[in-house]
Structures are given as C-alpha cells and as structure tokens.
Amino acid sequence: MDGKDQLVLWAWGSNGNGSLGIGNEEDSSLPVISKLSSFLQSQDSENDSQKLLLVGGGSHVIAVSHSKVAGERIFSWGWGENGQLGIPNTEKKLHSPSSLSFTAASKVISISAGWTFSVICTGDVYFCGDSLFGNHSSSSEPKDILTPIPVSFPLSPSLKITQVSGGLKHCLALAGRVICHP
C-alpha cells in the first residue's frame, strides 16, 4: 500500500472480541492496519472514488463502503453474540471484517451502533441485535435479531429518516428535511 488516495483503516486499543478487525484478539497500544483495508484496496481502481461510513459499538464495528466500481458493501466485525453484526452465524465474534448480505432499495446514508445493536438508515431504518429494551420498536420480535429488519415509524409516506444514532441501550432517528447553512 503506497497510501496514495487509498482508504486505510487504522485501529488500536482493546481487542478482546476482535473489535479491531486485525484477525486476532490481541490488544494494540499502537495503531495497526485493520483487515478492512485489504477489502477496500481490492475494490479500488485509479478512476474510482470511495467513501466509508464507520461506527463503533460496545465491542463491534459496522462499516459501509461506497464505491462507483464495486457499489455499496456493508461490513461488520467484533462481538456479535446478540446479532449486532447483522450476520446470522454460530460464532459469537468475528476477528476480521465480514460482508453482510443486506440489500435495500436505497443506498445507506447513516449507520450507528449501540452497546449490543446496530442501526442502518437508507431513508428507511433497519435494526439488528439485542431488542430487549424495545430499541427495535416491536414487542413481537425475538430478543436477538440476527439480520437487519425494518423498523416501523408512524410517519407520512413522504417523510423519510435522514440520520440514526444509537446509545448504550437506546436509538434515535431524525426525520424530515435538514437545511445546512454555511
């Protein structure tokens, strides 16, 4: 990697559940390159531009890569016991980034992660992980939701969610038109 116009993800700190995405559970006091960087480099081309949305949760990470050539891909890694990785697997944790098979009608515009859950926003909102505290908004769903499922809002059909945020055990969603002034 020569670093020229390439996305490189650096990670450091506690890695007990693989949350650094470096392929093991060894803590690192110094920045090391996450294995997500190799996924990003494989999508890279000279005429392509990439964008990356990245959030850390309790001990997991969700990342969305937007590329003209490769399209949109969602990755997750770290602790996933409650389904917060969005990948239905038998493993409780992933030491390296893994791609979600999630597809939506629109591109991802916002992501967030709480302690044991993840939220994806495309204008519509999708949730995976621990819903014990009602942070999914449906009492009929099981406690652990292993793949992203839609969240229902009592909104006008013309009103869309523009941003999501997750806290320790709660979610926030912003709906409406946002105007930014310089």
Side-chain angles (χ1 to χ4, degrees):
M1 278 188 276
D2 64 10
K4 184 177 88 178
D5 297 328
Q6 295 179 339
L7 292 177
V8 177
L9 179 61
W10 295 91
W12 63 97
S14 175
N15 193 32
N17 293 299
S19 55
L20 297 183
I22 59 175
N24 58 48
E25 291 188 19
E26 294 177 28
D27 296 343
S28 180
S29 60
L30 299 173
V32 292
I33 295 176
S34 169
K35 293 200 176 283
L36 182 66
S37 295
S38 61
F39 282 107
L40 298 174
Q41 303 312 319
S42 68
Q43 294 180 20
D44 200 12
S45 75
E46 280 192 33
N47 299 321
D48 195 15
S49 62
Q50 279 193 60
K51 295 179 183 173
L52 184 69
L53 299 173
L54 181 70
V55 295
S59 193
H60 69 290
V61 177
I62 303 292
V64 181
S65 169
H66 294 282
S67 164
K68 290 179 185 174
V69 173
E72 180 176 85
R73 293 180 69 189
I74 304 174
F75 298 93
S76 64
W77 62 93
W79 181 47
E81 184 171 349
N82 301 101
Q84 62 267 42
L85 298 178
I87 301 170
N89 64 10
T90 56
E91 301 295 319
K92 300 293 183 198
K93 48 189 143 179
L94 293 173
H95 298 132
S96 296
S98 185
S99 184
L100 276 72
S101 59
F102 172 81
T103 55
S106 303
K107 75 176 195 168
V108 174
I109 56 175
S110 177
I111 54 175
S112 190
W115 186 252
T116 55
F117 64 89
S118 298
V119 186
I120 301 168
C121 176
T122 63
D124 295 314
V125 176
Y126 300 87
F127 176 95
C128 59
D130 184 357
S131 66
L132 181 64
F133 293 94
N135 42 15
H136 169 259
S137 79
S138 173
S139 60
S140 64
E141 293 297 331
K143 178 183 174 278
D144 292 337
I145 300 169
L146 303 180
T147 58
I149 61 172
V151 176
S152 298
F153 290 89
L155 295 174
S156 157
S158 64
L159 195 59
K160 292 293 185 184
I161 303 296
T162 57
Q163 184 178 350
V164 291
S165 184
L168 179 65
K169 296 180 181 179
H170 66 282
C171 296
L172 303 167
L174 179 64
R177 196 173 102 178
V178 178
I179 300 173
C180 298
H181 295 282

